[in-house]
Amino acid sequence: MMSPTPSVSFSCNPKNPKSLCFIPLQGFANTSTLRLLPILPLRCSQERSLAQPSTGLDESIGGLSASNDCVLSGNTPVLRQNGLPPLVSALKASAEQNVASFHFPGHNRGRAAPASLTRLIGTRPYLHDLPELPELDNLFFPQGPILEAQIEAAKLFGSSHTWFLVGGTTCGIQAAIMATCCPGEFLILPRNSHISAISAMVLSGAVPKYIVPDYENDWDIAGGVTPLQVLKAIRELEMEGKKAAAVFITSPTYHGICSDVSRISELCHSRKIPLIVDEAHGAHFGFHSELPNSALQQGADLTVQSTHKVLCSLTQSSMLHMSRNIVDKEKIDRCLQTLQTTSPSYLLLASLDAARAQLSERPDVVFNQAIALAYEAKYTLKQIASISVLENSSFSNFPAIDPLRLTVGFWKLGLSGYEADEILYRDYGVICELVGNKSITYAFNLGTCRDHVQRLLLGIKHLAATYSSIQQPEEKVCDVHAPFDDIIMSLIPRDAFFASKRKVTIRESIGEVSGELVCPYPPGIPVLIPGEVITERAVDYLLHVRSKGADISGASDPLLSSVVVCNVK
């Protein structure tokens, strides 16, 4: 890992192609990739139809005229216009056809698009919001541009097969667990897994074998999972005459903490156990010398990535990658068909193809600017005595922390993360990715610019100067952390989900069996899981973070005056 020094230059020079700063941040792809057509009118008219027939005029991308020659079929090779990615090319060609459309969706290629939204985003997204037309392929049985786009993604990310997801990483995690765990089989996973892993156990009937993650009290942050913890869980099951159907880990965590996936995968494969990695926050891994290797590069069997997080696809679009042959591909196909919509958004699908193509253009240098800005910000903040910056030394059991995650602690100022975030947003317009009890996490990405980093640094410097002089350090911040280490499971998640339930006050719930999944959001990590006995520590923690401003997700009463519990005889 490169150690930033004051002598490192982060200046931008648009005339120098090797400069760390890339000026055209707006697209970050080759500027010839996309040139939008003129915005079309909201209604049809005799003067101009929604998609004009060929007239010999150049009205399309890269000087190619739009004509009926662009019409594709699902069984013919994809026509790529000016080097466009295959699914983007197919979507463009289909939208430009001069057709009489009698199909869904009801806005009819933008003709009836609601004016309130077109005033905001124009009609072009509606024009390209098309259904599963033959030339656009079928997500569940791809033979044309979707298949080609997924093959290109598999090549880039190093998988044997890649699936595009329109239900986010959530549906990918659910499919991966359902494809590896049958009802009654054991799934080894960290207790602080994302709620999608819990819902996957409800869907699959898997029995959890929890690992309690390392916890750093100074930061009030959970770490990853160690190989020793995985081995211990496997051996405990073996001593009972049982075997894990799969191991599921999260790497990197929301804060960027990476587990030793390589050693964990070796351990799992020695026992023929598939390893699933929630790599939602690590789609960029493996594409720069300063970034950790990806989970696939470290031997994982299934990885699920949120392509929309650090990479540049549209929100809700993700990818599921498979390596090796431990997991049945056809079973994953069936699970995804069960979980995903039969009316997928081609805007989401095309955005995955476009994000892949964007990364493919210059994979070795595309992250230079973001990484340089992140290192510069960390170096600057480390010079402020009252501000803490999360580094690998805080979690020495783990090999790396994502350099594009900046986690800043404010407890030496006597401020919680929630309080500091409110000030930085109100006074400086700084919006973070994740707020915690003691810290705030900021996500750097391909669109991060120097002006915004300077605004962040200015805000934190001003906050430090103001509060270090008027408050006693640390006196306001409580050392309360998530109670992951006192789990009593009365029912498996699936049985608890279907059990009859009642509602009680939050204090009356102590000692009862939780009937709902309750977690502060972000980051979507459960504190109460259906089937577990509710402890006083869990209640105290939830009330504490709620009082500090955290949103509570999953609870029927987000104010936490009451909790749903199971009627257990």
Side-chain angles (χ1 to χ4, degrees), residues 176-182 185-189 206-209 230 234 237 243-249 268 272-276 301-302 326-327:
I177 292 175
M178 289 174 66
T180 53
C181 299
C182 293
E185 292 185 332
F186 285 86
L187 174 67
I188 295 174
L189 75 165
V207 180
K209 172 68 175 175
V230 174
I234 291 174
L237 287 176
K243 178 185 175 182
V247 171
F248 174 89
I249 66 170
C268 291
K272 293 182 170 51
I273 301 172
L275 173 63
I276 306 166
D301 299 289
L302 294 172
I326 293 181
V327 182

Side-chain angles (χ1 to χ4, degrees), residues 32 47 76 114 134 170 200 243 283 426 434:
S32 66
E47 290 76 24
T76 58
T170 290
K243 178 185 175 182
R426 181 191 66 209
L434 172 65

Side-chain angles (χ1 to χ4, degrees), residues 170 173-174 177 191-202 248 278 517-521 523-529 553-554:
T170 290
I173 288 172
Q174 291 171 341
I177 292 175
R191 176 56 181 75
N192 63 333
S193 295
H194 190 267
I195 57 175
S196 56
I198 310 304
S199 61
M201 290 190 288
V202 172
F248 174 89
D278 173 357
L517 190 149
V518 181
C519 57
Y521 191 86
I525 294 174
V527 172
L528 301 182
I529 290 179
S553 174

Side-chain angles (χ1 to χ4, degrees), residues 203-216:
L203 292 167
S204 67
V207 180
K209 172 68 175 175
Y210 288 124
I211 292 172
V212 178
D214 283 6
Y215 214 89
E216 174 53 59

